Amino acid sequence: MCVNIKSLLPKGNVMAYRAPVSDIVFTMRHVAGFDRALDEGVYGDLSADLAQTILEEAGRFAADRIAPLNREGDRHGVTLKDGEVTTAPGWKEAYRAWTEAGWNALPGPADFGGQGLPILLNSACVEMWNSASMAFGIGPVLTMGAIEALVTHGTDALRERYLAKLVSGEWTATMNLTEPQAGSDLAALRSRAEPVGDGTYRIRGQKIFITYGEHDLTDNIIHLVLARLPDAPAGTRGISLFLVPKILPDGTRNDLRCAGIEHKLGIHGSPTCTMAFGDNDGAIGWLVGEENRGLACMFTMMNNARLAVGLQGVAIAERAYQQAFAYAKERRQGRAPGHAGDGMSPIIEHPDVQRNLLTMKALTAASRAICYMTAAALDRAHLAPDEAARRSAQERASLLTPVAKAFATDVGVEVASLGVQVHGGMGYIEETGAAQHLRDARIAPIYEGTNGIQAIDLVMRKLPLSGGDTVRAQIATMRAVVARVVREGTPLFGNTAPRLRDTVECLDRATGHLLKLVLANAPAEALAGATPYLRLFALAQGGAALAEAALAANRMIGEGDGDPAHTGRIALCRFFAENIAVSAKGLEDAVLGGAGFLHDAPAVLAS
């Protein structure tokens, strides 16, 4: 007898998405410092109530309009015919409704039709768009990054011509860096730009892995393209940035095309294109920023995108957790210890499944907190009232950005994988949707700078900021949180304080070690420990953030607030401290004494 797989699935809609607005708002207010920023006037006349209303509306749109298209986008993918890319059914209509509701304009500059709302608030929305559909959510991220690049580096003429339509979402934008021979090594770029003499340039070359390089959602696509001028110096110092529109200002088609679309492991609803520039006379482009300073301009866009990709990791982890949690409540297998009644237990009663679900939830909450803290620091870097405060916030954001990107995207993969595990064999079957989350999540540790590159950035560029004072100040804030747990904690906190104290001290010792290596010009030894160091930093920062949330919840309980979520936040912090943060000592050992593999690697990898 053949069994229909679908008959084994739980009857409820375990694939539905519900935006976790209460968790998002709590993290913003009590961990990322949103309330404090409101009190200090950093956010002008924005109020907590208005922010809550915006996020509730965003959550409804994500759940009702975007999330139902996620599976269709995965199954249908995109098609390329005669140079035109068509997205999955319903995609174009959803994007139009999204832009008409003003969501693309949320963080945009008011002078060009944007709402000028904080990066922190928009980051919470970015999380929800990507939980609903990661393939949908990645497109607007690039447009928002291009807006920031043009605001910061574009000429008045370019801003007047393009920003309003990009801010509204009527047009989208892309980031064209990677070439077949270059990969992450931008010094190897070969695309060329020749000045015409009238202020324009002719662009020729090929770019690969261009997200939303061609699509049917908008009439025009604005490409930001890295290329070399004829007399450019070698290496990254000879790269310039150009704005190259699909449709020129006179309404004619530019000399560029989509030469192919990639067949990918995941995010099938998102077109990933190979773009050819200049098959004929050359694609017309305009310089953004200064000649040979294009990398600085592009990093403005990339830093924006790196936080957004970190939020994608949070988003896919949240979606995978929600589905695994719903499945575990309905699926029955075996008899759990202490199970009352006849028949099999819901698998959520089994201790190992509980551990998996708690690990998923704790990692998701920690990565969300780090991303939101990064967004709040970026807001202060733009909006703080004095230059010293802005500079300090910018250094803090710079320190946290590689941690947010790398840790959150690693968490996305880990949590999605655990989600498949909770589903058991059914997780390996596409009908449940659990496999899609894992497939979609896997790109995030790779694009916008691989997580290995993030670790290099953290150790070689961010630890030395202000002579190491920036990272030391951040560690001091973690210690202060641990001290508060010692003073204010209750028996519900268990061993949170000693476990987090150990984690922070491991981080402190590892930081001192790496700073000495960097200052001693020993990059190989420093980089040998870069990846475990980033994970150690994230565990300490994530644990401190969850402790801040737990302390706020504990205070509310003491004030008579009976919301059961508060007890859950304390328990989640305790679980993280006692079960996840305890790997800190091993990570410290890898940082301090793990560089021996540099001597052994050639022999081991010789064959």
Side-chain angles (χ1 to χ4, degrees):
M1 182 180 69
C2 293
V3 177
N4 183 349
I5 290 292
K6 291 183 179 180
S7 69
L8 301 178
L9 298 176
K11 304 305 179 186
N13 185 10
V14 298
M15 293 171 61
Y17 167 65
R18 175 191 59 79
V21 175
S22 61
D23 287 341
I24 285 171
V25 171
F26 195 93
T27 304
M28 286 175 57
R29 296 184 64 180
H30 303 291
V31 179
F34 184 68
D35 282 4
R36 184 172 66 256
L38 288 177
D39 292 341
E40 295 172 2
V42 173
Y43 292 139
D45 58 0
L46 181 65
S47 68
D49 288 343
L50 177 57
Q52 173 103 21
T53 299
I54 291 170
L55 293 174
E56 288 173 349
E57 287 299 318
R60 276 191 284 271
F61 193 99
D64 296 344
R65 294 300 305 271
I66 302 175
L69 298 174
N70 190 45
R71 289 289 283 166
E72 183 65 22
D74 185 60
R75 291 194 186 103
H76 185 279
V78 298
T79 57
L80 172 64
K81 184 178 181 181
D82 299 326
E84 302 293 330
V85 171
T86 303
T87 53
W91 221 251
K92 185 174 183 178
E93 293 76 14
Y95 178 79
R96 183 178 295 117
W98 184 79
T99 57
E100 288 175 352
W103 294 116
N104 196 78
L106 196 75
D111 290 346
F112 296 93
Q115 300 173 45
L117 289 169
I119 295 171
L120 176 56
L121 187 63
N122 185 60
S123 294
C125 293
V126 167
E127 178 194 326
M128 290 186 275
W129 312 139
N130 282 277
S131 275
S133 172
M134 189 169 159
F136 181 95
I138 186 58
V141 161
L142 298 171
T143 302
M144 292 173 190
I147 291 167
E148 186 165 354
L150 285 178
V151 167
T152 307
H153 303 288
T155 63
D156 290 342
L158 288 179
R159 287 196 289 262
E160 289 297 327
R161 182 179 295 162
Y162 292 105
L163 272 180
K165 291 184 182 296
L166 288 173
V167 168
S168 69
E170 183 178 344
W171 295 346
T172 62
T174 71
M175 182 163 50
N176 286 249
L177 286 76
T178 308
E179 297 179 5
Q181 79 289 343
S184 297
D185 183 6
L186 297 181
L189 295 182
R190 296 175 184 166
S191 293
R192 310 297 297 179
E194 297 181 4
V196 177
D198 59 358
T200 66
Y201 297 77
R202 297 282 181 174
I203 315 297
R204 294 179 174 85
Q206 184 182 93
K207 300 289 184 176
I208 61 172
F209 303 152
I210 308 307
T211 302
Y212 279 90
E214 179 61 47
H215 58 78
D216 60 347
L217 304 184
T218 61
D219 295 330
N220 202 0
I221 303 169
I222 310 305
H223 301 283
L224 293 185
V225 184
L226 289 180
R228 293 185 184 280
L229 293 166
D231 58 351
T236 57
R237 290 181 296 175
I239 297 173
S240 300
L241 180 65
F242 300 89
L243 184 151
V244 187
K246 173 183 173 181
I247 305 298
L248 293 165
D250 64 4
T252 60
R253 177 73 180 254
N254 208 349
D255 185 14
L256 61 90
R257 64 185 174 87
C258 173
I261 54 174
E262 303 298 339
H263 301 281
K264 303 170 294 186
L265 178 67
I267 56 171
H268 294 156
S270 162
T272 301
C273 304
T274 296
M275 299 300 299
F277 295 88
D279 285 346
N280 300 304
D281 297 329
I284 297 174
W286 286 263
L287 182 69
V288 178
E290 301 177 24
E291 291 186 356
N292 303 324
R293 296 293 302 275
L295 206 56
C297 302
M298 187 60 80
F299 270 122
T300 298
M301 188 174 183
M302 286 187 70
N303 284 334
N304 180 297
R306 283 175 174 174
L307 172 58
V309 171
L311 290 161
Q312 285 193 304
V314 178
I316 204 71
E318 174 65 36
R319 185 74 184 269
Y321 167 73
Q322 287 191 20
Q323 182 167 333
F325 177 70
Y327 182 85
K329 288 194 298 182
E330 295 191 28
R331 177 69 167 163
R332 292 178 175 270
Q333 287 282 280
R335 291 177 62 84
H339 174 67
D342 298 328
M344 295 185 291
S345 305
I347 63 172
I348 199 170
E349 293 181 4
H350 291 279
D352 188 59
V353 174
Q354 292 175 350
R355 171 178 285 276
N356 281 336
L357 291 170
L358 284 168
T359 300
M360 295 170 77
K361 189 174 181 66
L363 288 173
T364 302
S367 61
R368 175 183 291 125
I370 293 173
C371 286
Y372 286 14
M373 290 167 65
T374 307
L378 287 169
D379 279 332
R380 285 187 175 272
H382 290 100
L383 303 172
D386 63 87
E387 183 178 350
R390 290 193 295 272
R391 184 170 58 251
S392 175
Q394 183 59 60
E395 289 202 351
R396 184 170 186 244
S398 296
L399 176 69
L400 291 175
T401 293
V403 181
K405 192 278 181 184
F407 179 65
T409 55
D410 281 345
V411 162
V413 175
E414 292 167 25
V415 170
S417 182
L418 284 172
V420 173
Q421 194 71 23
V422 169
H423 282 74
M426 299 305 295
Y428 205 66
I429 304 300
E430 288 290 349
E431 281 83 353
T432 64
Q436 182 192 343
H437 302 322
L438 181 56
R439 289 188 285 102
D440 287 353
R442 193 59 191 86
I443 186 57
I446 298 173
Y447 61 16
E448 303 310 332
T450 67
N451 286 359
I453 289 174
Q454 303 307 312
I456 294 171
D457 180 45
L458 175 63
V459 169
M460 301 303 293
R461 299 185 185 93
K462 304 307 172 54
L463 292 192
L465 286 171
S466 293
D469 287 348
T470 300
V471 67
R472 293 188 189 101
Q474 194 63 26
I475 292 172
T477 65
M478 300 177 202
R479 282 200 180 101
V481 173
V482 175
R484 286 182 56 209
V485 175
V486 173
R487 293 195 308 269
E488 303 172 26
T490 67
L492 290 175
F493 282 77
N495 288 315
T496 296
R499 296 295 176 267
L500 289 185
R501 182 189 298 114
D502 291 345
T503 303
V504 174
E505 295 311 314
C506 287
L507 174 64
D508 185 57
R509 291 188 293 269
T511 300
H513 174 74
L514 289 178
L515 277 170
K516 288 179 182 178
L517 290 174
V518 172
L519 295 175
N521 195 27
E525 289 79 3
L527 293 178
T531 291
Y533 176 78
L534 190 150
R535 182 75 177 200
L536 173 57
F537 191 114
L539 292 184
Q541 186 63 80
L546 293 186
E548 283 198 270
L551 288 166
N554 189 55
R555 184 180 67 252
M556 293 175 187
I557 292 171
E559 293 169 353
D561 186 341
D563 186 346
H566 295 327
T567 303
R569 291 185 175 102
I570 298 171
L572 193 67
C573 170
R574 176 179 178 174
F575 177 85
F576 187 94
E578 295 178 350
N579 294 272
I580 297 175
V582 290
S583 63
K585 187 61 175 71
L587 292 166
E588 180 198 357
D589 290 345
V591 174
L592 269 58
F597 76 81
L598 294 172
H599 304 288
D600 300 332
V604 175
L605 303 176
S607 58

